[in-house]
Amino acid sequence: MRRILHVDLNAFYASVEEAKDESLKGKAIAVAGDKDKRNGIILTASYEARKFGIRTGMTIQEARNLCPNIIFIKPHFKDYMDYSNRVMDILRDYTPDVEVFSIDEAWLDVTGCERLFGDAKKIADTIRERIKGNLR
């Protein structure tokens, strides 16, 4: 039986911003375009912001109406690519069979890796801890 892990880095842009600036942790933040350039929509929101109903694709004004204290951050795509590459490198430490689907999502086939790293659940847990520990 094949063992395939799915990695999905939820709220990825917001998580990267929190990793770069620890003062943002625990706050309602949203990565959003520039409202003055007419591309002012939410690209992602932290879990704290999501509690207020903030969702991807929502306008900045809609988000502000739901959460007046929300912190808006302009996107830093170069940083997101850097963090994504670092995550994908971690995944490749466990198997060469990594299929990258997007900047924040991948599948990896860990079939046959059990002797080196443990069962699929152990590999997933180890990867999760490495990502949390190494990408701050």
Side-chain angles (χ1 to χ4, degrees), residues 34-92:
D34 187 341
K35 65 179 172 33
D36 296 329
K37 292 183 180 175
R38 306 192 76 204
N39 58 358
I41 63 166
I42 305 301
L43 300 175
T44 194
S46 66
Y47 289 105
E48 292 77 12
R50 291 176 185 195
K51 291 176 187 175
F52 291 91
I54 310 302
R55 298 284 177 257
T56 300
M58 181 178 282
T59 67
I60 287 175
Q61 189 56 49
E62 290 170 320
R64 184 170 280 125
N65 290 341
L66 291 172
C67 181
N69 295 322
I70 192 166
I71 300 167
F72 294 109
I73 301 167
K74 289 185 180 181
H76 300 100
F77 293 111
K78 185 176 181 291
D79 292 337
Y80 308 147
M81 284 303 305
D82 176 55
Y83 275 76
S84 176
N85 288 333
R86 291 165 59 191
V87 168
M88 299 310 162
D89 287 344
I90 289 172
L91 302 181
R92 289 184 190 97

